[in-house]
Amino acid sequence: MDQKLAESTDIDGMSFEAALAELEQIVRTLEQGQAPLDESIELYQRGDRLKRHCDARLKAAQARIEKITLGPDGQPQGVDSFDAG
């Protein structure tokens, strides 16, 4: 299997929390500036894939969120889709 495909598959199976934790570690490593150039480039690319994965997981979660609507008497009446606007 191609290494990039394996890494993408690896990331696709990660939870949001695991992907975010790895992304934070990559950011710390890059901010320290101690990694060789080639390693820094690879870390940046993996970090970008992790960020996109986290964004997609957040958007999917947001799409599933519903808000409870209340009737005139203040009692729950039903649910509406989440509206971030």
Side-chain angles (χ1 to χ4, degrees), residues 10-73:
D10 176 45
I11 291 172
D12 290 342
M14 293 177 91
S15 69
F16 173 81
E17 293 79 10
L20 184 59
E22 184 177 343
L23 179 57
E24 289 171 343
Q25 179 59 46
I26 287 172
V27 169
R28 281 191 295 273
T29 300
L30 290 173
E31 285 179 341
Q32 290 174 354
Q34 301 295 322
L37 179 60
D38 288 340
E39 181 182 342
S40 293
I41 291 169
E42 289 175 17
L43 286 170
Y44 180 85
Q45 290 172 334
R46 180 157 177 92
D48 182 57
R49 289 190 298 275
L50 287 163
K51 179 194 171 294
R52 285 186 275 129
H53 175 72
C54 288
D55 285 344
R57 297 291 301 256
L58 284 174
K59 286 179 185 174
Q62 186 176 26
R64 293 192 316 256
I65 294 174
E66 297 179 324
K67 64 179 179 180
I68 297 172
T69 58
L70 302 177
D73 60 355

